[in-house]
Amino acid sequence: MDTEAVRSFVRAAELGQLQHAADELGVTQQAVSKRIAALERALDIRLFTRTARGVELTLDGQAFLPHARTIVTGVDRAITAIRPGSRALRIDVLGLRSAQAVVLHEYWRAHPEVDLDVVTLRVDDPREVVAAVRAGDIDASFRSVTDPGTLPREVRMIHAFDSPSELLVGPRHPLAAARTLTPAQLRGHRIWVPGIAPGSEWSDFYDQLVAEFDLRIDAAGPNFGNEVLLDILADSAEVATLVGARDRYLWPTNHDLRRIPIANPTLAYPLSLMMPSANPHPRLRPIIDHFGGLTPVAEPVWRPSWALRR
């Protein structure tokens, strides 16, 4: 069924004049008349009778009108749901406790009028995320492709902000009393990061950390979630993990966990933003500008080889 024909029928029925409906729809009266005639043929009924004053609904037209209004409303809502600028800005983050989500929440609190839809794509393969951006399923994603040359021309990637790494340990760990740590001081200590997905950007990040600083990154075992990891850290004198400085973690007070900044150099995880190359969502630019106002990480800084620059 031609939805524009249905729209023409609804406006003509409500206004009682084909010309008035044409003026409102921005077409000619002849176009409205042809649309309605085609709709009548498709339905095999008469919708209007002509009068000296315009048009009046037949009994069939009266029965069809409320359903036609529902069709038009549904089409309008569907278009609004997918048209950039008229629907919520849809951004993919790695997790709702991640630094990306935290920074987006800070921005939204300062700009609550922004219609923002924060989602988490449950995928580790960056190619799937690129496809989602390319298809318009999401407007942007906080993911990185470690080889930007593989991106299709319809998708581009920019640097968003850096996330400094911290060591998270329990009170019995030998580094628990430190106020800051250097990468050299982490050598020999077991840094447990379960669930590193092979081929992911964070897998490459940890591989480069190991190669650069001779660290002991252990990805063994299944990932049972943050709560289990925090419980293990609280009871362990040997296990530590790395977290982002802006990542949000909550634990019982009796865990007495410590977040210790790493400096000289700061180990920065570069967070990138992927978006369409052409016609990005208009509400995306103010958020990108917000990233530029974040406090920069302390120098000197180490970043992986694929890190972009502003």
Side-chain angles (χ1 to χ4, degrees), residues 108-125:
W108 181 80
R109 288 186 64 185
H111 305 277
E113 73 282 359
V114 174
D115 195 5
L116 185 62
D117 186 10
V118 179
V119 302
T120 300
L121 299 181
R122 300 295 181 183
V123 297
D124 295 322
D125 189 340

Side-chain angles (χ1 to χ4, degrees), residues 195-218:
I196 299 176
S200 64
E201 62 186 86
W202 47 95
S203 174
D204 191 64
F205 175 80
Y206 289 121
D207 285 346
Q208 293 195 34
L209 270 185
V210 169
E212 182 75 18
F213 299 104
D214 192 25
L215 301 185
R216 182 188 170 196
I217 305 291
D218 181 5

Side-chain angles (χ1 to χ4, degrees), residues 54-254:
V55 291
E56 290 183 357
L57 289 169
T58 64
L59 291 177
D60 286 331
Q62 294 175 35
F64 182 61
L65 180 59
H67 303 289
R69 286 191 177 116
T70 300
I71 292 171
V72 171
T73 299
V75 170
D76 289 343
R77 287 177 178 173
I79 293 172
T80 298
I82 61 172
R83 179 180 291 158
S86 62
R87 60 161 170 76
L89 172 61
R90 190 178 301 136
I91 301 182
D92 163 56
V93 298
L94 287 175
L96 296 180
R97 294 183 179 179
S98 66
Q100 310 103 307
V102 170
V103 169
L104 281 179
H105 183 234
E106 291 171 352
Y107 175 82
W108 181 80
R109 288 186 64 185
H111 305 277
E113 73 282 359
V114 174
D115 195 5
L116 185 62
D117 186 10
V118 179
V119 302
T120 300
L121 299 181
R122 300 295 181 183
V123 297
D124 295 322
D125 189 340
R127 292 173 297 183
E128 296 184 51
V129 180
V130 171
V133 173
R134 191 178 187 181
D137 297 333
I138 52 176
D139 298 302
S141 174
F142 280 101
R143 310 284 181 127
S144 296
V145 173
T146 56
D147 182 3
T150 63
L151 285 173
R153 66 178 183 275
E154 297 91 349
V155 178
R156 70 186 181 109
M157 186 172 70
I158 65 169
H159 176 74
F161 59 92
D162 288 322
S163 178
S165 296
E166 296 178 336
L167 192 74
L168 181 62
V169 298
R172 298 170 54 212
H173 195 277
L175 298 178
R179 301 190 66 176
T180 62
L181 292 165
T182 65
Q185 290 174 294
L186 305 182
R187 289 177 188 151
H189 293 280
R190 182 190 177 200
I191 301 174
W192 190 37
V193 188
I196 299 176
S200 64
E201 62 186 86
W202 47 95
S203 174
D204 191 64
F205 175 80
Y206 289 121
D207 285 346
Q208 293 195 34
L209 270 185
V210 169
E212 182 75 18
F213 299 104
D214 192 25
L215 301 185
R216 182 188 170 196
I217 305 291
D218 181 5
N223 182 7
F224 286 103
N226 289 336
E227 288 74 14
V228 172
L229 175 61
L230 298 177
D231 290 344
I232 292 172
L233 292 175
D235 292 335
S236 176
E238 299 178 356
V239 180
T241 196
L242 291 174
V243 297
R246 290 189 175 93
D247 293 347
R248 187 170 179 262
Y249 287 89
L250 300 174
W251 55 78
T253 55
N254 61 359

Side-chain angles (χ1 to χ4, degrees), residues 12 16-19 29-37 40 46-58:
Q17 292 275 350
L18 297 184
Q19 184 60 59
Q29 178 178 336
Q30 184 181 22
V32 169
S33 181
K34 285 184 177 180
R35 289 176 180 177
I36 293 174
E40 289 178 326
R46 288 287 302 276
L47 295 170
F48 289 113
T49 57
R50 291 183 178 271
T51 70
R53 292 175 297 179
V55 291
E56 290 183 357
L57 289 169
T58 64

